[in-house]
């Protein structure tokens, strides 16, 4: 090629066209002359490397890999698949090329019975394809195949429930794409699963639907998989003689088909002859299946051939050969289906499902965002058309809602302030009235005791005096609980901690955890209500729970304030028709603060109360409280 000053623009495109022609010719020879196809693909690969033309490198490498796969040379195929995968980041269609290559690597491992490795690559392929499937038809088509192959791997592992889950995903997408061949693959696998799960009627319905679609698609690999499914079902129902013509017809058409599928047809044909009692023919076809599977590394059919040959040699009394094949089958089966591999597949699926859920959340968030943008644009259009009249209506409606919201808040404030005034009044009466009288009685008893010294010998008097002191202390504590002056001297977290220290006894240990810094969501009204809620919960534990441990956790999670109070007491029936006054008060206060409360309790286990508040709503209460203070 002559040199010019514009080599990148003048010569690159024609040379790339030549590479694409080589690839096109290679595909024409793929099923006619594989040696010629391999030569053309290698030429395209080397020319692409010279030009650093990554799309050409990718297509040549993956074509070579597919050629080796069809020839049963899986080691060479895997090498070229990795070459194609390594260059996908530099290609023009990363998602399509990457998901396609990962899917093909997974298929390669599945042919060899390495299900853990297969599922690992299928999940990676699915995660990439799902990001682009809505926008790229080819990516969506590969995603259907990937879902179907995940289900097939799980089917081979005997996990039919999860296999059906991925078949359902494949079916939804295949219907959306309207691709008969993909739908036929899905139905074929559904037939196999239904039959293995004992639903024979459903299995035959699925396989008849599969055959209908196969006829519309024309000659394809699907024809052989469907034929094998029908034959296996006929064998299991005792009609092996009807299966043999299907299999022989398929075998005549399979000159250029992948060794994995040839192994399957040969094995099923040998099994059919075994079932009708033609043991020489069974041995011939089973040995052929074993040789084909061994050459291609199709572990599934190596295992099945060993198992069936063991049965054949046993029934023909060649026990030495039967034992040899059975022992080999045990070893292969343990390698394929050991517990560690099953657990590894479970872990891979958990990771995939987690990523799938995260993606679904993101998708919903994007949908919400799009809907919000649409509504915003629609509102702008409505505003511009409606003009001043609509603006006045909106302003009036806004004022009405604001007024109603403010009325609710004022009602809340009035109720809380009324309750607190009443609590303060009762507390003062207890402290100054009953508390004072009890203290005076106690002093008089002390005076009498000093005047009549012989009374010291009577323990009953000491006991009465001690009871008076305890009653006085209890009244004093109750009065202090009712008078919330502690919040005027301490911050909310300090006040809660002091209260917990006061109620700690030998019988009940109260532990508290408060997130620092405490969220800025509280004013006097809010703090007082929160304090009363916690106070009431602790009093309920003291009075009713018979607990030795209680825990209070107050924390902020994003935009929510969480209060959790738990005890290890005797529990109670939360569905009882009559709740106590304390529980009623707690629910009322939570409702007034627009929060949510959940109570879980079990006999001899304890009680857990979880209360969630929206911080933005608490701040709204605080804002109105602040405005009221400054407008007085």
């Amino acid at each position: 090629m002559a040199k010019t000053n514009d080599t990148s623009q003048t010569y690159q495109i024609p040379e790339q066209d030549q590479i694409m022609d080589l690839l096109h010719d290679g595909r024409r020879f793929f099923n006619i002359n594989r040696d010629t196809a391999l030569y053309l693909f290698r030429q395209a690969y080397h020319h692409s490397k010279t030009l650093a033309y990554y799309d050409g490198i990718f297509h040549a490498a993956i074509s070579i890999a597919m050629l080796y796969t069809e020839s049963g040379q899986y080691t060479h195929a895997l090498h070229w698949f990795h070459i194609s995968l390594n260059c996908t980041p530099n290609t023009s269609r990363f998602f399509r090329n990457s998901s396609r290559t990962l899917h093909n690597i997974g298929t390669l491992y599945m042919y060899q019975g390495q299900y853990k490795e297969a599922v690992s690559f299928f999940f990676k392929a699915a995660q990439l394809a799902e990001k682009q499937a809505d926008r790229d038809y080819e990516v969506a088509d590969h995603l259907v195949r990937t879902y179907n192959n995940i289900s097939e791997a799980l089917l081979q592992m005997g996990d039919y429930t999860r296999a059906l889950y991925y078949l359902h995903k494949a079916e939804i997408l295949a219907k959306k794409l309207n691709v008969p061949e993909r739908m036929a693959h899905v139905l074929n696998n559904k037939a196999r699963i239904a039959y293995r799960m004992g639903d024979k009627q459903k299995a035959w319905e699925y396989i008849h639907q599969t055959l209908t679609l196969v006829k519309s698609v024309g000659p394809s690999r699907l024809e052989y998989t469907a034929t094998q499914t029908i034959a296996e079902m006929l064998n299991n129902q005792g009609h092996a003689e009807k299966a043999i013509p299907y299999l022989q017809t398929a075998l005549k058409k399979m000159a250029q088909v992948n060794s994995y599928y040839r192994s399957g047809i040969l094995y099923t044909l040998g099994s059919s002859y075994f079932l009708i009692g033609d043991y020489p023919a069974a041995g011939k076809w089973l040995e052929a299946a074993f040789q084909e599977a061994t050459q291609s590394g199709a572990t599934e059919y190596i295992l099945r051939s060993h198992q069936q040959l063991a049965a054949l040699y046993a029934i023909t009394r060649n026990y030495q050969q039967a034992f040899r094949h059975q022992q080999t089958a045990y070893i292969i089966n343990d390698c394929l289906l050991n517990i560690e591999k099953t657990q590894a597949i479970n872990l891979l699926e958990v990771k995939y499902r987690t990523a799938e859920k995260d993606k679904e959340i993101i998708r919903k968030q994007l949908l919400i965002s799009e809907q919000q943008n649409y509504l915003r644009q629609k509102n702008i259009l409505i505003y511009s058309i409606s003009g001043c009249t609509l603006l006045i209506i909106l302003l009036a409606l806004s004022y009405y809602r604001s007024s109603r919201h403010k009325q609710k808040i004022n009602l809340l404030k009035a109720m809380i302030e009324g309750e607190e005034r009443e609590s303060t009044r009762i507390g003062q009466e207890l402290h100054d009235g009953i508390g004072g009288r009890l203290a005076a009685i106690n002093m008089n008893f002390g005076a009498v005791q000093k005047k009549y010294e012989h009374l010291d010998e009577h323990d009953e008097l000491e006991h009465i005096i001690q009871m008076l002191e305890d009653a006085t202390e209890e009244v004093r504590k109750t009065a202090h609980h009712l008078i919330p002056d502690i919040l005027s001297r301490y911050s909310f977290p300090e006040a809660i901690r002091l209260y917990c220290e006061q109620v700690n006894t030998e019988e009940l240990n109260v532990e508290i955890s408060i997130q620092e810094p405490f969220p800025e969501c509280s004013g006097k009204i809010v703090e007082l209500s929160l304090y009363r809620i916690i106070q009431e919960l602790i009093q309920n534990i003291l009075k009713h729970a018979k607990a030795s441990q209680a825990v209070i956790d107050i924390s902020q999670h994003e935009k929510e304030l969480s209060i959790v109070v738990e005890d290890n007491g005797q529990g109670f029936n939360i569905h009882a028709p009559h709740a106590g006054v304390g529980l009623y008060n707690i629910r009322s206060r939570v409702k007034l603060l627009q929060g949510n409360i959940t109570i879980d309790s079990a006999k001899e286990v304890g009680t857990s109360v979880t209360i969630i508040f929206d911080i933005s709503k608490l701040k709204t209460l605080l804002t109105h409280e602040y405005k009221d203070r400054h407008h007085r």
Side-chain angles (χ1 to χ4, degrees):
M1 185 177 69
K3 294 182 179 180
T4 72
N5 293 330
D6 192 15
T7 56
S8 63
Q9 295 298 321
T10 305
Y11 291 91
Q12 185 179 16
I13 294 175
E15 289 186 356
Q16 290 181 5
D17 285 345
Q18 290 174 12
I19 291 168
M20 298 310 292
D21 287 341
L22 285 169
L23 291 169
H24 177 71
D25 291 340
R27 294 188 188 103
R28 284 196 301 110
F29 281 99
F30 195 96
N31 291 321
I32 302 171
N33 188 322
R34 286 180 176 168
D35 289 336
T36 301
L38 181 61
Y39 172 79
L40 293 169
F41 290 147
R42 285 185 178 275
Q43 289 292 311
Y45 174 74
H46 290 302
H47 286 316
S48 297
K49 281 194 70 175
T50 302
L51 291 174
Y53 175 39
Y54 288 100
D55 281 333
I57 294 171
F58 168 79
H59 287 294
I62 202 168
S63 297
I64 293 170
M66 294 296 293
L67 195 69
Y68 279 127
T69 299
E70 293 302 304
S71 303
Q73 300 179 61
Y74 297 146
T75 303
H76 291 309
L78 186 61
H79 169 74
W80 284 98
F81 275 134
H82 281 295
I83 290 175
S84 66
L85 185 62
N86 289 337
C87 72
T88 53
N90 298 309
T91 60
S92 58
R93 298 182 71 177
F94 167 72
F95 286 102
R96 185 197 66 174
N97 296 339
S98 297
S99 59
R100 177 186 174 190
T101 307
L102 289 166
H103 168 266
N104 284 329
I105 293 174
T107 304
L108 198 65
Y109 279 117
M110 191 165 69
Y111 287 162
Q112 300 172 81
Q114 300 180 41
Y115 300 123
K116 185 193 81 171
E117 292 78 5
V119 169
S120 173
F121 280 98
F122 287 148
F123 282 148
K124 290 175 184 176
Q127 286 173 341
L128 275 177
E130 285 167 352
K131 295 179 181 178
Q132 198 73 13
D134 291 341
R135 297 181 290 276
D136 191 318
Y137 179 89
E138 289 185 53
V139 173
D141 185 56
H142 281 299
L143 185 55
V144 176
R145 297 172 61 195
T146 302
Y147 287 149
N148 198 55
N149 278 355
I150 291 172
S151 74
E152 191 162 343
L154 292 169
L155 187 156
Q156 297 296 346
M157 299 290 289
D159 193 341
Y160 304 137
T161 302
R162 284 194 292 179
L164 284 172
Y165 169 80
Y166 290 100
L167 274 182
H168 180 64
K169 291 169 73 74
E171 184 175 11
I172 291 172
L173 192 52
K175 286 179 178 177
K176 183 179 178 181
L177 297 177
N178 193 24
V179 183
E181 185 176 359
R182 301 290 174 255
M183 194 65 208
H185 275 291
V186 171
L187 290 168
N188 183 59
N189 272 344
K190 289 180 78 170
R192 294 167 67 194
I193 293 172
Y195 200 88
R196 294 190 188 187
M197 293 179 74
D199 193 344
K200 296 178 181 179
Q201 182 180 350
K202 203 69 178 174
W204 281 109
E205 288 178 13
Y206 287 139
I207 201 63
H208 286 311
Q209 292 176 43
T210 303
L211 290 175
T212 302
L213 289 172
V214 167
K215 290 177 183 177
S216 69
V217 170
S220 70
R221 182 175 298 168
L222 177 60
E223 184 178 353
Y224 311 123
T225 57
T227 297
Q228 187 177 353
T229 301
I230 292 171
E232 287 177 349
M233 290 165 62
L234 288 169
N235 285 349
N236 288 329
Q237 288 187 320
H239 302 297
E241 71 284 354
K242 295 181 180 179
I244 292 172
Y246 283 104
L247 296 164
Q248 288 176 333
T249 302
L251 201 58
K252 291 176 183 178
K253 300 179 181 180
M254 294 183 70
Q256 296 294 326
V257 174
N258 184 300
S259 295
Y260 175 84
Y261 296 99
R262 283 180 60 82
S263 301
I265 294 292
L266 289 167
Y267 162 78
T268 310
L269 184 57
S271 299
S272 299
Y273 277 112
F274 176 82
L275 289 169
I276 65 173
D278 189 345
Y279 300 133
K284 169 190 169 183
W285 293 113
L286 288 172
E287 288 290 351
F290 176 72
Q291 293 298 326
E292 186 83 31
T294 302
Q295 289 175 8
S296 64
T299 312
E300 177 190 344
Y301 291 109
I302 294 174
L303 169 64
R304 289 192 184 188
S305 298
H306 276 301
Q307 291 171 331
Q308 196 70 316
L309 283 167
L312 176 65
Y313 284 123
I315 206 168
T316 55
R317 299 186 179 184
N318 189 342
Y319 299 118
Q320 185 176 359
Q321 285 282 54
F323 178 76
R324 181 175 65 83
H325 282 291
Q326 192 61 52
Q327 285 294 99
T328 307
Y330 281 139
I331 293 169
I332 296 172
N333 192 57
D334 287 343
C335 292
L336 282 177
L337 303 176
N338 62 47
I339 294 172
E340 288 78 8
K341 286 195 174 184
T342 304
Q343 290 174 339
I345 288 175
N346 291 343
L347 182 60
L348 287 168
E349 194 197 19
V350 167
K351 290 180 179 178
Y352 168 75
R353 290 280 192 101
T354 303
E356 185 182 33
K357 287 179 181 177
D358 291 342
K359 184 180 76 67
E360 181 64 16
I361 290 169
I362 293 170
R363 188 189 69 78
K364 287 181 178 178
Q365 289 175 339
L366 288 172
L367 181 62
I368 291 169
S369 178
E370 289 173 1
Q371 290 174 340
Q372 288 174 339
N373 287 333
Y374 170 75
L375 289 173
R376 194 178 297 114
Q377 292 172 0
K378 187 176 180 181
N379 286 338
I380 292 171
L381 181 62
I382 291 171
Y383 295 153
S384 60
I385 293 173
S386 301
C388 295
T389 304
L390 183 57
L391 181 61
I392 292 170
I393 294 172
L394 290 173
L395 288 173
L397 182 60
S398 176
Y399 177 77
Y400 171 73
R401 287 179 176 173
S402 177
S403 298
R404 291 211 45 193
H405 185 58
K406 190 171 182 180
Q407 286 175 1
K408 288 182 180 179
I409 292 171
N410 289 336
L411 178 61
L412 168 63
K413 284 175 58 183
M415 291 178 70
I416 293 174
E417 288 173 353
E419 286 181 4
E420 293 306 326
R421 279 197 298 270
E422 185 63 14
S423 295
T424 301
R425 184 187 66 77
I426 295 169
Q428 287 172 345
E429 287 184 4
L430 284 173
H431 187 274
D432 300 335
I434 297 173
R437 288 177 180 274
L438 286 172
I441 293 168
N442 195 18
M443 289 173 65
N444 286 330
F445 262 113
V448 170
Q449 191 178 23
K450 287 180 181 179
K451 184 174 181 180
Y452 303 99
E453 295 180 358
H454 64 278
L455 292 176
D456 290 341
E457 300 174 2
H458 296 278
D459 293 336
E460 292 85 352
L461 184 60
E462 285 290 341
H463 181 63
I464 293 170
I465 293 171
Q466 184 61 48
M467 288 175 65
L468 279 170
E469 289 177 354
D470 292 343
T472 304
E473 179 63 21
E474 187 66 28
V475 169
R476 188 185 67 81
K477 286 183 179 180
T478 303
H480 285 175
H481 292 162
L482 291 169
I483 302 172
D485 62 331
I486 191 170
L487 289 173
S488 63
R489 293 182 283 119
Y490 300 99
S491 67
F492 176 75
E494 290 171 338
I496 294 295
R497 288 193 179 96
L498 285 171
Y499 174 72
C500 290
E501 288 176 7
Q502 290 173 7
V503 298
N504 262 327
T505 64
E506 292 182 0
E507 290 78 17
L508 177 65
N509 177 46
V510 181
E511 296 181 4
I512 183 163
S513 172
I514 302 180
Q515 178 179 323
E516 297 289 354
F518 191 73
E520 295 180 0
C521 64
S522 56
K524 181 181 178 182
I525 291 175
V526 176
E527 285 185 351
L528 196 51
S529 293
L530 296 178
Y531 181 84
R532 288 297 191 211
I533 289 168
I534 294 170
Q535 190 181 59
E536 193 72 56
L537 286 169
I538 296 299
Q539 286 300 313
N540 280 351
I541 294 172
L542 287 167
K543 293 175 183 176
H544 309 297
K546 297 182 180 178
S548 60
Q549 291 284 337
V551 177
I552 302 172
D553 180 79
I554 305 173
S555 58
Q556 178 182 358
H557 303 281
E558 296 182 352
K559 297 181 180 180
E560 293 181 339
L561 178 66
S562 167
I563 298 174
V564 180
V565 179
E566 297 181 336
D567 67 71
N568 65 347
Q570 63 183 357
F572 67 99
N573 182 5
I574 61 175
H575 302 295
H578 300 292
V581 176
L583 189 57
Y584 174 79
N585 288 339
I586 292 166
R587 291 185 186 277
S588 298
R589 288 183 181 274
V590 171
K591 184 177 180 181
L592 286 172
L593 293 177
Q594 301 177 63
N596 293 308
I597 180 169
T598 303
I599 302 174
D600 293 313
S601 186
K603 291 288 186 179
E604 308 305 327
V605 174
T607 302
S608 175
V609 179
T610 302
I611 305 172
I612 304 295
F613 295 106
D614 186 327
I615 292 177
S616 62
K617 292 180 180 179
L618 295 180
K619 284 183 176 179
T620 302
L621 295 174
L622 174 58
T623 303
H624 282 275
E625 179 188 356
Y626 177 81
K627 287 180 179 178
D628 286 348
R629 285 204 198 108
H630 288 77
H631 281 73
R632 288 171 183 168

